[in-house]
Amino acid sequence: GVTEIRADSKQKNMNVSCKLFVDDLQSALHSIYHKQVDLSKRDPVTSGLIQDYIKKHLIISFGKKVATFYYVGYEIEEEAVWIFFEGKLPSKDKNVFVVNTLLYDQLEAQTNFIHCYYDEVRKSYKLVNPENNTQFEF
């Protein structure tokens, strides 16, 4: 999986994008919520499940303040799905702490790449299950 966090201090906002394999996400949603999910058929129930799942498995903090981000939607790109969120920066703190357990319950060898941009500066980190958090200092 890939998670991109883009923080813009001038606009005081952030965008979050998560890229996962369609099959893996559908399996995870089915396993947790006991509903058959077909991402190719867009409906409010599927969007709600995706939103709930991501918010439970991805926590982003700036300093000691947890960021609140809102679901925008998703796009399917070949075998993968990009899920989009946006929100306000909760503080001016440039220490970004990320907890990411996306697909950890389903895939023992899950790897999640985190790319964090603060203004124009990019830093990246690779999490391999069971490692579930990292910190970026800008």
Side-chain angles (χ1 to χ4, degrees), residues 11 15-17 19 27 35 41 43 49-50 59 66 74 76 84 87 93 95-96 103 111 115 119:
Q11 299 293 322
N15 293 305
V16 178
S17 306
K19 181 180 182 182
S27 294
K35 292 187 184 291
K41 297 177 181 165
D43 63 71
L49 297 178
I50 292 170
I59 299 165
V66 175
Y74 69 90
I76 295 176
F84 305 104
D93 199 311
N95 290 315
V96 183
L103 302 177
T111 300
H115 303 298
D119 295 328

Side-chain angles (χ1 to χ4, degrees), residues 94-111:
K94 292 185 174 185
N95 290 315
V96 183
F97 187 72
V98 181
V99 177
N100 185 331
T101 58
L102 294 171
L103 302 177
Y104 276 24
D105 293 340
Q106 284 66 41
L107 302 169
E108 198 173 296
Q110 175 66 17
T111 300

Side-chain angles (χ1 to χ4, degrees), residues 2-129:
V2 176
T3 299
E4 286 187 0
I5 302 158
R6 294 181 180 268
D8 184 330
S9 65
K10 291 176 189 71
Q11 299 293 322
K12 298 180 182 160
N13 66 15
M14 62 176 227
N15 293 305
V16 178
S17 306
C18 300
K19 181 180 182 182
L20 302 168
F21 285 111
V22 170
D23 292 349
D24 293 340
L25 180 58
Q26 289 178 159
S27 294
L29 295 175
H30 177 69
S31 168
I32 293 166
Y33 301 103
H34 309 291
K35 292 187 184 291
Q36 211 58 323
V37 175
D38 182 351
L39 294 179
S40 66
K41 297 177 181 165
R42 296 178 187 275
D43 63 71
V45 172
T46 298
S47 290
L49 297 178
I50 292 170
Q51 183 175 225
D52 188 64
Y53 178 76
I54 300 289
K55 286 190 172 191
K56 286 180 178 171
H57 294 274
L58 179 63
I59 299 165
I60 303 165
S61 301
F62 290 80
K64 295 185 188 316
K65 296 197 177 194
V66 175
T68 300
F69 45 92
Y70 302 94
Y71 177 75
V72 175
Y74 69 90
E75 290 179 14
I76 295 176
E77 180 183 275
E78 297 176 17
E79 296 94 35
V81 58
W82 278 99
I83 304 150
F84 305 104
F85 297 87
E86 57 187 29
K88 297 283 181 202
L89 284 182
S91 77
K92 293 180 181 179
D93 199 311
K94 292 185 174 185
N95 290 315
V96 183
F97 187 72
V98 181
V99 177
N100 185 331
T101 58
L102 294 171
L103 302 177
Y104 276 24
D105 293 340
Q106 284 66 41
L107 302 169
E108 198 173 296
Q110 175 66 17
T111 300
N112 289 320
F113 293 93
I114 314 291
H115 303 298
C116 190
Y117 299 80
Y118 200 100
D119 295 328
E120 300 300 316
V121 179
R122 173 188 162 165
K123 295 189 177 185
S124 298
Y125 193 79
K126 176 181 167 183
L127 293 173
V128 180
N129 195 358

